Amino acid sequence: MTGFMPYTQWECLRSSNRCLATTEGGKTYTRETFCNTTLQLNRDFVWKLDGRTSFAIDYDLLCDREYLYNLCNTFFFIGAMLALPIGGQLIDFYGRKPGVITSLLISIVGIGISIIPSPNVAVLILGRVIVGAGSFILISGVNTYVFELSPSKYRPVACFFVTYSWAAGYFVMVGSGYLIKMWQLLSLVPIAFFLVALVTTICIPESPKFTFLTKRNVAKAKAALQWFQDLNGTNVNLESLSLGSDNSQDDKQKLSDYLKDLIKHKALLIQTVVFCFQYLATTTLYYGFAFSWSKLSSNLYIGYLFAGLGEFLAQTMLFFPLTFMARRHTVMLFYISGGISILLTLLPHETEGDKVSVHQIVSILGSMLVTVGWNAIIVQMIEAAPTTHRALIQSLASSSGRVGSILGTQVGLLLEWNESCTMIIFGVVAIAIAVCGFFMPETKGIVSPQQPDEVAWDYTGKSSNKPEKQLLIPEDMESE
């Protein structure tokens, strides 16, 4: 939700023919005539904002300063790209819970800086950098946290709720943007959600899997299991549950060792590089296709409602394949289907004016299929990564994805150059991601590796790990 907050008011201004009006005769100025004349506010024109405020006006992000608006969005992703590798290591070292709490606080501070009244746009950009860093570290921490608390057979359900909450952000964003007319007050909406999440996270114990495997604290791990047991109403004798030794202080992971381990273990390195490529390519497609939703309606709010609906449909499409199919087969299915859908846009078509064309529908279908495949990759990546380095690997992949986010926003330039070539590139990239999925290890029903040296497979999709009971998750208590 925070990623879209700045867009609400400025998109309206960019449609200058309906948002700018002169004081004489109701004549309307286009963006070109507005930016190339010496028009003066309240003499030659008035802002037609229906009582709303706009940070684009407050910070004068118009005409020759419009690039500063684009910088605000770009630096949001740059902040995430730079902070994620560090944040992932800290989450793996200090814990999932401290990582989530810290990222929430960082996000709140970033939004607070963004809404400070200041004529200096650098303050706004600084706030966006901090929000980007906090928000994406939060995503990595939450994904790791949730999936470590979910047995393999319940993981599709966990993925279902996590991704649906993402899609719900579109509807909250649209509703808030429509009802709240001051952009500063609009920015308080995500702060309220962050505060609720902060209180909730404080009340939940640390991941018992992380606590035992990384910190070697059996007592704390059993206390966390007891908390979940009380929550679920189960009754298992945890005193008789053998988790291993509690005196291995010397083999704790050092903060400086995480990246070294990544380079040291070849299988883990190759796996991480492939996931990084899949993330980068996917986010380029994902943000590149964002233009499709806006074309479904001339109304900004309705356009984003369609985008939210598309996200809901995409996540619904993922549930059953993720439940009944192998992870890598799910990835391959949706990316190949998405690539074919994108290539179908090359078929001859006619422009239908303001009507939604078959070309646009096929384009949006390709975007949805890519979105589904992306979430399947997230599940596969978290299951394939060793517990001790899970957040780091996810953060490195997500950091690569921020590069794709920046590239995706420039897709408009490619479309202006040659739409057919752009669609061919996108279709081939989607199929390439599917091919990469063929060589990745299958993780469904397989115990996740705990240490880097346990990551191994024969590069034909077969994992070396056995389908055994996973350690320190609610499934253990059910099987006792």
Side-chain angles (χ1 to χ4, degrees), residues 43-249:
R43 190 196 71 177
D44 302 303
F45 74 95
V46 292
W47 292 116
K48 189 178 179 181
L49 298 175
D50 299 324
R52 297 180 180 275
T53 64
S54 169
F55 75 83
I57 296 177
D58 293 346
Y59 285 94
D60 190 25
L61 306 182
L62 306 170
C63 299
D64 59 343
R65 285 172 55 88
E66 186 177 353
Y67 74 96
L68 293 173
Y69 161 75
N70 296 323
L71 281 181
C72 290
N73 299 322
T74 300
F75 272 96
F76 175 81
F77 294 122
I78 290 177
M81 181 177 64
L82 297 177
L84 275 165
I86 300 174
Q89 293 182 75
L90 294 177
I91 292 173
D92 279 329
F93 185 77
Y94 290 106
R96 306 347 183 178
K97 181 176 178 178
V100 170
I101 291 175
T102 302
S103 60
L104 284 167
L105 293 174
I106 291 173
S107 300
I108 292 173
V109 170
I111 296 176
I113 292 176
S114 299
I115 62 178
I116 293 176
S118 171
N120 191 347
V121 72
V123 176
L124 180 63
I125 293 177
L126 174 62
R128 296 297 294 162
V129 170
I130 297 174
V131 173
S135 298
F136 281 97
I137 293 175
L138 174 63
I139 293 173
S140 295
V142 168
N143 285 342
T144 304
Y145 206 176
V146 169
F147 282 84
E148 285 188 356
L149 297 178
S150 307
S152 179
K153 62 182 179 181
Y154 298 132
R155 206 154 283 151
V157 178
C159 177
F160 180 82
F161 282 106
V162 171
T163 54
Y164 259 45
S165 65
W166 170 276
Y170 281 87
F171 294 95
V172 175
M173 174 197 67
V174 172
S176 300
Y178 183 78
L179 296 174
I180 302 175
K181 295 187 175 183
M182 291 184 62
W183 68 269
Q184 293 92 339
L185 294 180
L186 184 61
S187 298
L188 297 179
V189 175
I191 290 182
F193 279 91
F194 284 143
L195 290 174
V196 173
L198 182 63
V199 173
T200 304
T201 305
I202 291 174
C203 298
I204 299 175
E206 178 61 273
S207 162
K209 181 189 285 281
F210 167 84
T211 301
F212 173 70
L213 292 173
T214 304
K215 298 303 180 183
R216 301 296 182 182
N217 192 328
V218 173
K220 190 175 180 179
K222 287 187 175 181
L225 287 174
Q226 183 63 57
W227 188 92
F228 287 107
Q229 181 172 255
D230 295 339
L231 181 66
N232 295 326
T234 56
N235 186 19
V236 176
N237 184 5
L238 297 179
E239 295 300 325
S240 62
L241 184 64
S242 177
L243 304 180
S245 173
D246 190 24
N247 56 9
S248 304
Q249 294 294 327

Side-chain angles (χ1 to χ4, degrees), residues 19 38 79 112 126 159 161 167 208 215 243 256 291 293 336 344 378 443 458 472:
C19 293
T38 57
L126 174 62
C159 177
F161 282 106
K215 298 303 180 183
L243 304 180
S256 59
F291 72 91
W293 295 108
I336 290 176
L344 286 176
I378 293 175
T443 59
D458 63 4
L472 293 177

Side-chain angles (χ1 to χ4, degrees), residues 308-319:
L309 179 60
E311 291 284 342
F312 269 106
L313 292 175
Q315 309 316 329
T316 303
M317 292 166 62
L318 175 64
F319 180 77

